[in-house]
Amino acid sequence: MPTRDPAKSRPKATPARRAAAAVSEHLEDAAPDADMERRICEAVYESVMSQRLTPGTKLPEAALCDIFGVSRSVARKALQRLAHEHVVDLHHNRGAVVAEPTAEDTRQIFEARRALEAALVPLAAARATKADYASLRKQLRDEHALLHRAGQPAWARQASAFHVRLGELSGNGILHGYLAELVSRCSLIVALYEPPGNAACEHGEHVQIVDLMERGQVAEAVKINDNHLADLERRISLERPQPAQTLAQMLGMA
């Protein structure tokens, strides 16, 4: 029986096949980098939300490379992603630092959020079904459980999720998207500046808001929600002492 030439049995290396192979190889190489980029972002975010990283803390690329064992390009991409999410500020001369929202930034962000939620709560109340209210109440039970057993970052995320869910129930995707961004920026400001020991959001007021919405007392629900956000803003103190720790310690890596 004639022996087949292995070289002839292989598919011809056309330009298209070579390009596909190159893309596949690039994706395989990029996967670990993407994982490390995500790990850096999560570590910085969690450390900010836990108040280990304070406003203005420098985040040098070289230090992140040493701490996480990554290349400069991976550290740079992580910092750019964090800057897009307003967690860090990128300065030409100073490099990356943890965001330092000013008093005016804080005022404008909370003012915009209060105005937006005042419009979204009535829309949500008009569309919410019994199933939606049941879902909201389950979310509040989960929130209450986290308040007593979880750390600040997990609790803050759950408390923020309540407001974002109300925006989703409004049925207006554009307004919901704006609210999600504002809630994220408010959460960052609260994490950076609220004195330790305070709840990021008062659970009891969330319960009141849902009760009032379900009973059709929408104007009262809007008022409670507005006062709720105003109280949150009032608790913010822009003065924070700088901890005497290394960057690795603040990131929980040492």
Side-chain angles (χ1 to χ4, degrees), residues 16-49:
R17 285 199 177 99
R18 285 197 296 271
V23 169
S24 177
E25 183 178 352
H26 171 73
L27 290 175
E28 288 176 3
D29 292 341
D33 286 351
D35 287 342
M36 290 308 300
E37 178 188 332
R38 183 168 54 252
R39 185 182 172 196
I40 293 170
C41 289
E42 289 173 353
V44 172
Y45 179 79
E46 293 290 323
S47 298
V48 168
M49 297 301 287

Side-chain angles (χ1 to χ4, degrees), residues 115-139:
L116 188 55
E117 291 202 32
L120 285 169
V121 168
L123 292 176
R127 295 183 73 257
T129 64
K130 288 184 178 180
D132 290 328
Y133 282 115
S135 174
L136 276 172
R137 293 191 186 286
K138 180 180 184 307
Q139 187 170 338

Side-chain angles (χ1 to χ4, degrees), residues 117-119 121-122 209 212 217-227:
E117 291 202 32
V121 168
I209 291 164
L212 289 166
Q217 296 173 265
V218 180
E220 187 63 21
V222 170
K223 182 179 178 182
I224 294 292
N225 189 66
D226 189 70
N227 290 338

Side-chain angles (χ1 to χ4, degrees), residues 149-169:
R149 72 167 187 261
Q152 179 72 5
W155 154 246
R157 278 194 295 268
Q158 189 72 13
S160 296
F162 167 77
H163 293 271
V164 175
R165 175 61 176 151
L166 290 183
E168 183 182 9
L169 288 175

Side-chain angles (χ1 to χ4, degrees), residues 27-93:
L27 290 175
E28 288 176 3
D29 292 341
D33 286 351
D35 287 342
M36 290 308 300
E37 178 188 332
R38 183 168 54 252
R39 185 182 172 196
I40 293 170
C41 289
E42 289 173 353
V44 172
Y45 179 79
E46 293 290 323
S47 298
V48 168
M49 297 301 287
S50 301
Q51 300 187 335
R52 293 196 302 269
L53 279 175
T54 54
T57 301
K58 292 182 180 180
L59 300 170
E61 283 183 14
L64 293 176
C65 292
D66 290 341
I67 293 168
F68 292 94
V70 297
S71 66
R72 293 292 283 262
S73 64
V74 172
R76 189 174 300 120
K77 286 180 182 177
L79 291 171
Q80 289 169 346
R81 179 173 161 187
L82 288 163
H84 178 72
E85 295 171 358
H86 307 284
V87 178
V88 306
D89 293 330
L90 298 178
H91 301 288
H92 179 64
N93 294 324

